[in-house]
Amino acid sequence: MNKVILMGRLTRDPEVRYSAGDNSMAIARYTLAVDRRFRRDGENSADFISCVAFGRSAEFAEKYFRQGIKIVVTGRIQTGSYTNRDGQRVYTTEVVVEDQEFAESKAASSENAMARQSAPSPAAPSMPSPSQASVGDGFMNIPDGIDEELPFN
């Protein structure tokens, strides 16, 4: 079985191209920085994994993915090779994306981006207060006292 699950941050905006021909298809390529679980000498380290998405997944990546956002990717590893202009054989390994989704809210992504820019050390994620959570996070604000009206209390 060839199955990969990765969670990491985009190192740059996806690079999207369209195939030639009558049935043009989007092809998105991006690199994920995946933190390593164990640290050597207390330093952060990451692996940089190349990913490629096709069709609707590529169009989604083009529209919504930006450098620094955290995503989860599932897919399969694919290896290949080609001969470059200098006549040397080049071997490639990449993840062919089967599914991709956001791993954090847009607000958390913005907070983390600001923290990464302003602080040299990684900032701990913070939970928004209830008043902040209902503003601009895409969820409806539930009024107080609604619990008494629910039939399954």
Side-chain angles (χ1 to χ4, degrees), residues 129-144:
S129 69
S131 61
Q132 291 174 326
S134 61
V135 178
D137 64 358
F139 291 99
M140 181 178 85
N141 192 5
I142 299 174
D144 293 332

Side-chain angles (χ1 to χ4, degrees), residues 54-147:
F54 298 95
R56 288 180 155 299
S57 293
E59 292 168 2
F60 182 87
E62 178 180 34
K63 188 171 183 180
Y64 297 107
F65 288 177
R66 296 291 172 256
Q67 178 180 349
I69 69 164
K70 185 183 256 186
I71 63 171
V72 174
V73 170
T74 58
R76 60 186 167 81
I77 292 180
Q78 181 171 290
T79 60
S81 64
Y82 63 92
T83 304
N84 68 11
R85 293 179 184 153
D86 299 330
Q88 296 175 325
R89 195 77 165 160
V90 177
Y91 296 92
T92 62
T93 302
E94 59 192 2
V95 172
V96 177
V97 174
E98 294 170 356
D99 188 34
Q100 59 192 3
E101 57 189 71
F102 296 103
E104 64 186 359
S105 70
K106 191 172 185 178
S109 180
S110 306
E111 286 178 21
N112 286 333
M114 288 189 315
R116 283 191 304 273
Q117 290 173 355
S118 63
S121 62
S126 62
M127 294 297 291
S129 69
S131 61
Q132 291 174 326
S134 61
V135 178
D137 64 358
F139 291 99
M140 181 178 85
N141 192 5
I142 299 174
D144 293 332
I146 194 80
D147 295 346

Side-chain angles (χ1 to χ4, degrees), residues 41-55:
D41 299 329
E43 292 184 23
N44 290 340
S45 60
D47 292 303
F48 297 90
I49 315 276
S50 297
C51 300
V52 60
F54 298 95

Side-chain angles (χ1 to χ4, degrees), residues 23-35:
N23 295 330
S24 179
M25 177 175 41
I27 302 166
R29 293 186 180 280
Y30 53 84
T31 302
L32 277 184
V34 179
D35 288 333

